[in-house]
Amino acid sequence: MRSPKDFFGPLAVGAPAPVREVPARPSRMIHFFDPSNEKMAAKVPGMVGTVDVLLGNLEDAVKADRKEAARQGLVDIAKATDFGDSTQLWTRVNSLDSPWVLDDLITLVTEIGDKLDVIMVPKVQGPEDIHYVDRILAQLEARAGLTRPILVHAILETARGMANVEAIAGASPRMQGISLGPADLAADRRMKTTRVGGGHPGYLVRQDPATDLGEGVDPVTAERTTYQQDLWHYTIARMVDACAMHGIFPYYGPFGDIKDVVACEDQFRNAFLLGCVGTWSLHPVQVDIAKRVFSPSAEDVAHARRVKEAMGDGTGAVMLDGKMEDDASLKQCLVILELAERLSANDPELADLYAVDAPAAEGEGS
């Protein structure tokens, strides 16, 4: 058993020291692109600064005969592109049981490791998968002479991974976050849905039978209101708890119905309210949705600032607009304010929105 004292020690001679705190950089949307698709790759430089994360995808959406082209395409794009301070470069490598993943890791770390922020690992089953990647990355970082560690992001796509989510979240200092992979997880659980994320009209609750419908009317067969439920509520909530416990970040994954922008926004907002910091975007139309949903509203920021100002030293309780606010309320408000400050630091539009509609209290830092 590894001693807790060694948890933050490098796993290879010459490898950079692991981070003790995951950088809290904006990652509201993780925008996927296929590096083997020349048309798609040509758009990457123009998206720098408009999305928080650009992710070169090497896995599921890339056909087997295009794997090497996708890998080399990502290398070429990374070398030719300046991602600046406001856009991160991530990649999703092939699964650990595939014949391509070792070449993915060796090539990417040694050739563009200085550009890569995060490596997303699909179908993580348990902490042993993270330990495997952790050691290899340390060895490759040492070989490449990197001065900062590349972080790791796990995708929750199997029932075993779900059962081990807490252990996965705490498996390595490299862990940056976890995303929900609803399609693969649904298949592994034998769920009866063919949708990629989102709800299902058959997953519902029904209003109780009425008792005053009159003589001759069967209350059981009479029309009753139904309410569609969220298939992913439990899974997301447990993932959020695991991430919060270990100081890493939870994300919703893909929403496959590109045309249904309303349901997409609903699903993103559910995840945001439960604690997710971002989501995947599979099409440019989803970028703006994610940016809007995963940024706190000006009204919420204004209210949070009022509570912070009213609470003074943070102890006791106050009445504000007829509602009690206490230390627990303040903690909730500080979550909103910290997020607003972090996002507006690199987003002039948000900075203006929060400054105009939610003026800072006297003495509060900008």
Side-chain angles (χ1 to χ4, degrees), residues 27-30 49-52 268-269 272 277-279 281 284-297 339 343 346-350 354:
S27 49
R28 293 163 293 181
M29 73 295 293
I30 304 170
T50 67
V51 298
D52 295 337
F268 286 1
R269 182 165 288 105
F272 175 67
V277 301
T279 187
S281 54
V285 72
Q286 295 182 341
V287 170
D288 288 336
I289 299 173
K291 182 177 181 180
R292 179 172 62 255
V293 170
F294 287 92
S295 303
S297 68
L339 177 59
L343 296 178
N346 290 316
D347 191 325
E349 291 183 7
L350 280 182
Y354 296 152

mmCIF file of all heavy atoms in Angstrom, residues 27-30 49-52 268-269 272 277-279 281 284-297 339 343 346-350 354:
data_model
loop_
_atom_site.group_PDB
_atom_site.id
_atom_site.type_symbol
_atom_site.label_atom_id
_atom_site.label_comp_id
_atom_site.label_asym_id
_atom_site.label_seq_id
_atom_site.Cartn_x
_atom_site.Cartn_y
_atom_site.Cartn_z
ATOM 1 N N SER A 27 -13.991 26.254 -17.607
ATOM 2 C CA SER A 27 -14.158 25.107 -18.507
ATOM 3 C C SER A 27 -15.642 24.819 -18.679
ATOM 4 O O SER A 27 -16.095 23.699 -18.501
ATOM 5 C CB SER A 27 -13.411 23.881 -17.976
ATOM 6 O OG SER A 27 -13.704 23.654 -16.609
ATOM 7 N N ARG A 28 -16.384 25.881 -19.005
ATOM 8 C CA ARG A 28 -17.832 25.744 -19.139
ATOM 9 C C ARG A 28 -18.214 24.840 -20.300
ATOM 10 O O ARG A 28 -19.208 24.115 -20.232
ATOM 11 C CB ARG A 28 -18.463 27.129 -19.335
ATOM 12 C CG ARG A 28 -18.350 28.034 -18.122
ATOM 13 C CD ARG A 28 -18.595 29.480 -18.503
ATOM 14 N NE ARG A 28 -17.528 29.987 -19.376
ATOM 15 C CZ ARG A 28 -17.482 31.225 -19.844
ATOM 16 N NH1 ARG A 28 -18.463 32.070 -19.558
ATOM 17 N NH2 ARG A 28 -16.472 31.613 -20.610
ATOM 18 N N MET A 29 -17.445 24.918 -21.381
ATOM 19 C CA MET A 29 -17.700 24.043 -22.513
ATOM 20 C C MET A 29 -16.394 23.385 -22.940
ATOM 21 O O MET A 29 -15.351 24.033 -23.059
ATOM 22 C CB MET A 29 -18.346 24.802 -23.685
ATOM 23 C CG MET A 29 -17.446 25.740 -24.458
ATOM 24 S SD MET A 29 -16.823 27.170 -23.520
ATOM 25 C CE MET A 29 -18.326 28.094 -23.242
ATOM 26 N N ILE A 30 -16.459 22.054 -23.108
ATOM 27 C CA ILE A 30 -15.345 21.283 -23.647
ATOM 28 C C ILE A 30 -15.755 20.946 -25.078
ATOM 29 O O ILE A 30 -16.580 20.055 -25.311
ATOM 30 C CB ILE A 30 -15.109 20.002 -22.821
ATOM 31 C CG1 ILE A 30 -14.870 20.345 -21.343
ATOM 32 C CG2 ILE A 30 -13.927 19.214 -23.379
ATOM 33 C CD1 ILE A 30 -14.881 19.129 -20.431
ATOM 34 N N GLY A 49 -10.084 31.448 -27.828
ATOM 35 C CA GLY A 49 -10.603 32.643 -27.192
ATOM 36 C C GLY A 49 -12.111 32.708 -27.129
ATOM 37 O O GLY A 49 -12.670 33.506 -26.380
ATOM 38 N N THR A 50 -12.795 31.854 -27.909
ATOM 39 C CA THR A 50 -14.258 31.840 -27.884
ATOM 40 C C THR A 50 -14.815 30.664 -27.100
ATOM 41 O O THR A 50 -15.992 30.660 -26.757
ATOM 42 C CB THR A 50 -14.829 31.787 -29.320
ATOM 43 O OG1 THR A 50 -14.506 30.518 -29.917
ATOM 44 C CG2 THR A 50 -14.250 32.908 -30.171
ATOM 45 N N VAL A 51 -13.980 29.647 -26.853
ATOM 46 C CA VAL A 51 -14.386 28.508 -26.037
ATOM 47 C C VAL A 51 -13.354 28.313 -24.930
ATOM 48 O O VAL A 51 -12.189 28.670 -25.082
ATOM 49 C CB VAL A 51 -14.524 27.216 -26.873
ATOM 50 C CG1 VAL A 51 -15.592 27.368 -27.930
ATOM 51 C CG2 VAL A 51 -13.211 26.831 -27.515
ATOM 52 N N ASP A 52 -13.796 27.749 -23.830
ATOM 53 C CA ASP A 52 -12.887 27.541 -22.700
ATOM 54 C C ASP A 52 -11.924 26.391 -22.947
ATOM 55 O O ASP A 52 -10.758 26.457 -22.567
ATOM 56 C CB ASP A 52 -13.688 27.271 -21.425
ATOM 57 C CG ASP A 52 -14.531 28.467 -20.992
ATOM 58 O OD1 ASP A 52 -14.188 29.592 -21.394
ATOM 59 O OD2 ASP A 52 -15.526 28.262 -20.276
ATOM 60 N N PHE A 268 -28.331 20.835 -19.424
ATOM 61 C CA PHE A 268 -27.152 21.552 -18.945
ATOM 62 C C PHE A 268 -27.456 22.279 -17.627
ATOM 63 O O PHE A 268 -26.650 22.261 -16.700
ATOM 64 C CB PHE A 268 -26.684 22.573 -19.989
ATOM 65 C CG PHE A 268 -25.998 21.969 -21.199
ATOM 66 C CD1 PHE A 268 -25.846 20.595 -21.343
ATOM 67 C CD2 PHE A 268 -25.509 22.792 -22.211
ATOM 68 C CE1 PHE A 268 -25.213 20.045 -22.459
ATOM 69 C CE2 PHE A 268 -24.872 22.260 -23.319
ATOM 70 C CZ PHE A 268 -24.732 20.895 -23.452
ATOM 71 N N ARG A 269 -28.630 22.915 -17.558
ATOM 72 C CA ARG A 269 -28.956 23.675 -16.346
ATOM 73 C C ARG A 269 -29.158 22.749 -15.153
ATOM 74 O O ARG A 269 -28.757 23.080 -14.030
ATOM 75 C CB ARG A 269 -30.190 24.550 -16.570
ATOM 76 C CG ARG A 269 -30.540 25.404 -15.348
ATOM 77 C CD ARG A 269 -31.510 26.521 -15.659
ATOM 78 N NE ARG A 269 -30.864 27.586 -16.437
ATOM 79 C CZ ARG A 269 -31.050 27.787 -17.743
ATOM 80 N NH1 ARG A 269 -31.881 26.999 -18.427
ATOM 81 N NH2 ARG A 269 -30.422 28.748 -18.371
ATOM 82 N N PHE A 272 -25.722 22.049 -13.973
ATOM 83 C CA PHE A 272 -25.136 23.244 -13.354
ATOM 84 C C PHE A 272 -25.668 23.437 -11.931
ATOM 85 O O PHE A 272 -24.905 23.674 -10.989
ATOM 86 C CB PHE A 272 -25.451 24.466 -14.217
ATOM 87 C CG PHE A 272 -25.014 25.777 -13.629
ATOM 88 C CD1 PHE A 272 -23.675 26.088 -13.475
ATOM 89 C CD2 PHE A 272 -25.960 26.725 -13.243
ATOM 90 C CE1 PHE A 272 -23.268 27.312 -12.943
ATOM 91 C CE2 PHE A 272 -25.571 27.946 -12.708
ATOM 92 C CZ PHE A 272 -24.220 28.236 -12.555
ATOM 93 N N VAL A 277 -19.449 22.052 -13.317
ATOM 94 C CA VAL A 277 -18.834 23.318 -13.725
ATOM 95 C C VAL A 277 -18.867 23.511 -15.237
ATOM 96 O O VAL A 277 -18.570 24.604 -15.724
ATOM 97 C CB VAL A 277 -17.378 23.423 -13.231
ATOM 98 C CG1 VAL A 277 -17.313 23.323 -11.722
ATOM 99 C CG2 VAL A 277 -16.491 22.353 -13.875
ATOM 100 N N GLY A 278 -19.195 22.460 -15.979
ATOM 101 C CA GLY A 278 -19.205 22.575 -17.434
ATOM 102 C C GLY A 278 -19.784 21.344 -18.082
ATOM 103 O O GLY A 278 -20.288 20.433 -17.407
ATOM 104 N N THR A 279 -19.687 21.305 -19.414
ATOM 105 C CA THR A 279 -20.277 20.220 -20.180
ATOM 106 C C THR A 279 -19.507 20.060 -21.479
ATOM 107 O O THR A 279 -18.619 20.853 -21.787
ATOM 108 C CB THR A 279 -21.757 20.511 -20.473
ATOM 109 O OG1 THR A 279 -22.365 19.366 -21.091
ATOM 110 C CG2 THR A 279 -21.914 21.700 -21.412
ATOM 111 N N SER A 281 -19.495 20.132 -25.638
ATOM 112 C CA SER A 281 -20.247 20.666 -26.771
ATOM 113 C C SER A 281 -19.806 19.901 -28.011
ATOM 114 O O SER A 281 -18.616 19.803 -28.303
ATOM 115 C CB SER A 281 -20.030 22.172 -26.934
ATOM 116 O OG SER A 281 -18.659 22.509 -27.025
ATOM 117 N N PRO A 284 -21.177 23.666 -32.679
ATOM 118 C CA PRO A 284 -21.054 25.080 -32.281
ATOM 119 C C PRO A 284 -22.312 25.654 -31.637
ATOM 120 O O PRO A 284 -22.214 26.544 -30.777
ATOM 121 C CB PRO A 284 -20.740 25.775 -33.606
ATOM 122 C CG PRO A 284 -20.008 24.746 -34.408
ATOM 123 C CD PRO A 284 -20.661 23.439 -34.049
ATOM 124 N N VAL A 285 -23.502 25.148 -31.999
ATOM 125 C CA VAL A 285 -24.725 25.689 -31.408
ATOM 126 C C VAL A 285 -24.772 25.441 -29.902
ATOM 127 O O VAL A 285 -25.417 26.194 -29.159
ATOM 128 C CB VAL A 285 -25.973 25.093 -32.105
ATOM 129 C CG1 VAL A 285 -26.169 23.634 -31.717
ATOM 130 C CG2 VAL A 285 -27.220 25.890 -31.771
ATOM 131 N N GLN A 286 -24.086 24.387 -29.437
ATOM 132 C CA GLN A 286 -24.101 24.081 -28.010
ATOM 133 C C GLN A 286 -23.100 24.914 -27.211
ATOM 134 O O GLN A 286 -23.186 24.960 -25.981
ATOM 135 C CB GLN A 286 -23.837 22.591 -27.798
ATOM 136 C CG GLN A 286 -24.931 21.693 -28.353
ATOM 137 C CD GLN A 286 -24.677 20.214 -28.095
ATOM 138 O OE1 GLN A 286 -23.551 19.796 -27.812
ATOM 139 N NE2 GLN A 286 -25.724 19.418 -28.208
ATOM 140 N N VAL A 287 -22.166 25.568 -27.898
ATOM 141 C CA VAL A 287 -21.164 26.387 -27.207
ATOM 142 C C VAL A 287 -21.826 27.547 -26.484
ATOM 143 O O VAL A 287 -21.577 27.796 -25.300
ATOM 144 C CB VAL A 287 -20.100 26.892 -28.202
ATOM 145 C CG1 VAL A 287 -19.200 27.938 -27.538
ATOM 146 C CG2 VAL A 287 -19.257 25.737 -28.721
ATOM 147 N N ASP A 288 -22.680 28.279 -27.192
ATOM 148 C CA ASP A 288 -23.347 29.433 -26.585
ATOM 149 C C ASP A 288 -24.288 29.002 -25.464
ATOM 150 O O ASP A 288 -24.431 29.710 -24.458
ATOM 151 C CB ASP A 288 -24.122 30.220 -27.637
ATOM 152 C CG ASP A 288 -23.198 30.978 -28.578
ATOM 153 O OD1 ASP A 288 -22.049 31.263 -28.175
ATOM 154 O OD2 ASP A 288 -23.620 31.285 -29.711
ATOM 155 N N ILE A 289 -24.928 27.846 -25.641
ATOM 156 C CA ILE A 289 -25.813 27.351 -24.577
ATOM 157 C C ILE A 289 -25.009 27.075 -23.310
ATOM 158 O O ILE A 289 -25.385 27.476 -22.212
ATOM 159 C CB ILE A 289 -26.551 26.079 -25.040
ATOM 160 C CG1 ILE A 289 -27.427 26.364 -26.252
ATOM 161 C CG2 ILE A 289 -27.403 25.511 -23.904
ATOM 162 C CD1 ILE A 289 -28.059 25.117 -26.861
ATOM 163 N N ALA A 290 -23.888 26.381 -23.474
ATOM 164 C CA ALA A 290 -23.055 26.057 -22.310
ATOM 165 C C ALA A 290 -22.500 27.311 -21.655
ATOM 166 O O ALA A 290 -22.461 27.422 -20.415
ATOM 167 C CB ALA A 290 -21.916 25.133 -22.741
ATOM 168 N N LYS A 291 -22.068 28.252 -22.472
ATOM 169 C CA LYS A 291 -21.519 29.497 -21.915
ATOM 170 C C LYS A 291 -22.563 30.229 -21.091
ATOM 171 O O LYS A 291 -22.267 30.745 -20.005
ATOM 172 C CB LYS A 291 -21.015 30.394 -23.052
ATOM 173 C CG LYS A 291 -20.382 31.694 -22.579
ATOM 174 C CD LYS A 291 -19.838 32.496 -23.750
ATOM 175 C CE LYS A 291 -19.177 33.783 -23.283
ATOM 176 N NZ LYS A 291 -18.640 34.565 -24.419
ATOM 177 N N ARG A 292 -23.789 30.268 -21.587
ATOM 178 C CA ARG A 292 -24.861 30.966 -20.882
ATOM 179 C C ARG A 292 -25.267 30.228 -19.606
ATOM 180 O O ARG A 292 -25.415 30.827 -18.533
ATOM 181 C CB ARG A 292 -26.073 31.114 -21.818
ATOM 182 C CG ARG A 292 -27.262 31.806 -21.190
ATOM 183 C CD ARG A 292 -28.340 32.081 -22.209
ATOM 184 N NE ARG A 292 -28.899 30.880 -22.828
ATOM 185 C CZ ARG A 292 -28.635 30.476 -24.069
ATOM 186 N NH1 ARG A 292 -27.811 31.158 -24.825
ATOM 187 N NH2 ARG A 292 -29.212 29.375 -24.550
ATOM 188 N N VAL A 293 -25.432 28.923 -19.714
ATOM 189 C CA VAL A 293 -25.952 28.149 -18.580
ATOM 190 C C VAL A 293 -24.935 28.041 -17.457
ATOM 191 O O VAL A 293 -25.293 28.164 -16.271
ATOM 192 C CB VAL A 293 -26.382 26.748 -19.051
ATOM 193 C CG1 VAL A 293 -26.678 25.848 -17.853
ATOM 194 C CG2 VAL A 293 -27.597 26.840 -19.957
ATOM 195 N N PHE A 294 -23.667 27.825 -17.785
ATOM 196 C CA PHE A 294 -22.660 27.578 -16.758
ATOM 197 C C PHE A 294 -21.982 28.861 -16.270
ATOM 198 O O PHE A 294 -20.943 28.801 -15.613
ATOM 199 C CB PHE A 294 -21.635 26.562 -17.255
ATOM 200 C CG PHE A 294 -22.182 25.163 -17.317
ATOM 201 C CD1 PHE A 294 -22.764 24.679 -18.487
ATOM 202 C CD2 PHE A 294 -22.163 24.339 -16.202
ATOM 203 C CE1 PHE A 294 -23.288 23.400 -18.546
ATOM 204 C CE2 PHE A 294 -22.682 23.061 -16.241
ATOM 205 C CZ PHE A 294 -23.254 22.591 -17.418
ATOM 206 N N SER A 295 -22.585 30.009 -16.580
ATOM 207 C CA SER A 295 -22.180 31.287 -16.003
ATOM 208 C C SER A 295 -23.320 31.773 -15.110
ATOM 209 O O SER A 295 -24.473 31.777 -15.539
ATOM 210 C CB SER A 295 -21.913 32.321 -17.101
ATOM 211 O OG SER A 295 -20.942 31.886 -18.020
ATOM 212 N N PRO A 296 -23.052 32.181 -13.886
ATOM 213 C CA PRO A 296 -24.145 32.649 -13.026
ATOM 214 C C PRO A 296 -24.790 33.899 -13.615
ATOM 215 O O PRO A 296 -24.130 34.711 -14.268
ATOM 216 C CB PRO A 296 -23.452 32.941 -11.694
ATOM 217 C CG PRO A 296 -22.007 33.116 -12.026
ATOM 218 C CD PRO A 296 -21.749 32.242 -13.215
ATOM 219 N N SER A 297 -26.073 34.038 -13.391
ATOM 220 C CA SER A 297 -26.794 35.197 -13.917
ATOM 221 C C SER A 297 -26.407 36.459 -13.152
ATOM 222 O O SER A 297 -25.933 36.406 -12.008
ATOM 223 C CB SER A 297 -28.304 34.985 -13.801
ATOM 224 O OG SER A 297 -28.697 34.985 -12.435
ATOM 225 N N LEU A 339 -17.204 31.986 -8.591
ATOM 226 C CA LEU A 339 -17.353 31.579 -9.985
ATOM 227 C C LEU A 339 -17.446 32.800 -10.892
ATOM 228 O O LEU A 339 -16.807 32.853 -11.951
ATOM 229 C CB LEU A 339 -18.589 30.697 -10.139
ATOM 230 C CG LEU A 339 -18.919 30.245 -11.566
ATOM 231 C CD1 LEU A 339 -17.762 29.466 -12.174
ATOM 232 C CD2 LEU A 339 -20.200 29.412 -11.580
ATOM 233 N N LEU A 343 -14.790 33.606 -13.918
ATOM 234 C CA LEU A 343 -15.202 33.650 -15.312
ATOM 235 C C LEU A 343 -15.014 35.029 -15.927
ATOM 236 O O LEU A 343 -14.596 35.154 -17.084
ATOM 237 C CB LEU A 343 -16.669 33.227 -15.442
ATOM 238 C CG LEU A 343 -17.000 31.785 -15.053
ATOM 239 C CD1 LEU A 343 -18.497 31.535 -15.180
ATOM 240 C CD2 LEU A 343 -16.229 30.794 -15.922
ATOM 241 N N ASN A 346 -11.507 36.559 -17.604
ATOM 242 C CA ASN A 346 -11.112 36.380 -19.001
ATOM 243 C C ASN A 346 -12.258 36.598 -19.979
ATOM 244 O O ASN A 346 -12.140 36.247 -21.154
ATOM 245 C CB ASN A 346 -10.537 34.975 -19.209
ATOM 246 C CG ASN A 346 -9.195 34.786 -18.543
ATOM 247 O OD1 ASN A 346 -8.331 35.653 -18.627
ATOM 248 N ND2 ASN A 346 -9.022 33.657 -17.868
ATOM 249 N N ASP A 347 -13.366 37.163 -19.480
ATOM 250 C CA ASP A 347 -14.536 37.362 -20.332
ATOM 251 C C ASP A 347 -15.047 38.789 -20.142
ATOM 252 O O ASP A 347 -15.808 39.063 -19.203
ATOM 253 C CB ASP A 347 -15.618 36.349 -19.969
ATOM 254 C CG ASP A 347 -16.764 36.308 -20.974
ATOM 255 O OD1 ASP A 347 -17.105 37.371 -21.522
ATOM 256 O OD2 ASP A 347 -17.326 35.216 -21.208
ATOM 257 N N PRO A 348 -14.643 39.721 -20.998
ATOM 258 C CA PRO A 348 -15.048 41.123 -20.831
ATOM 259 C C PRO A 348 -16.557 41.327 -20.798
ATOM 260 O O PRO A 348 -17.054 42.196 -20.083
ATOM 261 C CB PRO A 348 -14.413 41.820 -22.047
ATOM 262 C CG PRO A 348 -13.278 40.932 -22.442
ATOM 263 C CD PRO A 348 -13.721 39.539 -22.130
ATOM 264 N N GLU A 349 -17.301 40.518 -21.585
ATOM 265 C CA GLU A 349 -18.753 40.663 -21.590
ATOM 266 C C GLU A 349 -19.339 40.342 -20.227
ATOM 267 O O GLU A 349 -20.220 41.059 -19.725
ATOM 268 C CB GLU A 349 -19.367 39.758 -22.659
ATOM 269 C CG GLU A 349 -19.068 40.186 -24.083
ATOM 270 C CD GLU A 349 -19.767 39.303 -25.094
ATOM 271 O OE1 GLU A 349 -20.593 38.450 -24.673
ATOM 272 O OE2 GLU A 349 -19.508 39.442 -26.302
ATOM 273 N N LEU A 350 -18.862 39.247 -19.614
ATOM 274 C CA LEU A 350 -19.350 38.913 -18.278
ATOM 275 C C LEU A 350 -18.902 39.939 -17.252
ATOM 276 O O LEU A 350 -19.658 40.289 -16.338
ATOM 277 C CB LEU A 350 -18.849 37.525 -17.867
ATOM 278 C CG LEU A 350 -19.603 36.319 -18.418
ATOM 279 C CD1 LEU A 350 -19.006 35.027 -17.873
ATOM 280 C CD2 LEU A 350 -21.089 36.391 -18.076
ATOM 281 N N TYR A 354 -21.664 41.765 -14.963
ATOM 282 C CA TYR A 354 -21.673 41.693 -13.509
ATOM 283 C C TYR A 354 -21.417 43.054 -12.883
ATOM 284 O O TYR A 354 -21.984 43.384 -11.834
ATOM 285 C CB TYR A 354 -20.622 40.688 -13.029
ATOM 286 C CG TYR A 354 -20.885 39.255 -13.448
ATOM 287 C CD1 TYR A 354 -19.844 38.349 -13.615
ATOM 288 C CD2 TYR A 354 -22.180 38.801 -13.678
ATOM 289 C CE1 TYR A 354 -20.077 37.037 -13.998
ATOM 290 C CE2 TYR A 354 -22.426 37.497 -14.062
ATOM 291 C CZ TYR A 354 -21.372 36.612 -14.225
ATOM 292 O OH TYR A 354 -21.609 35.311 -14.605
#
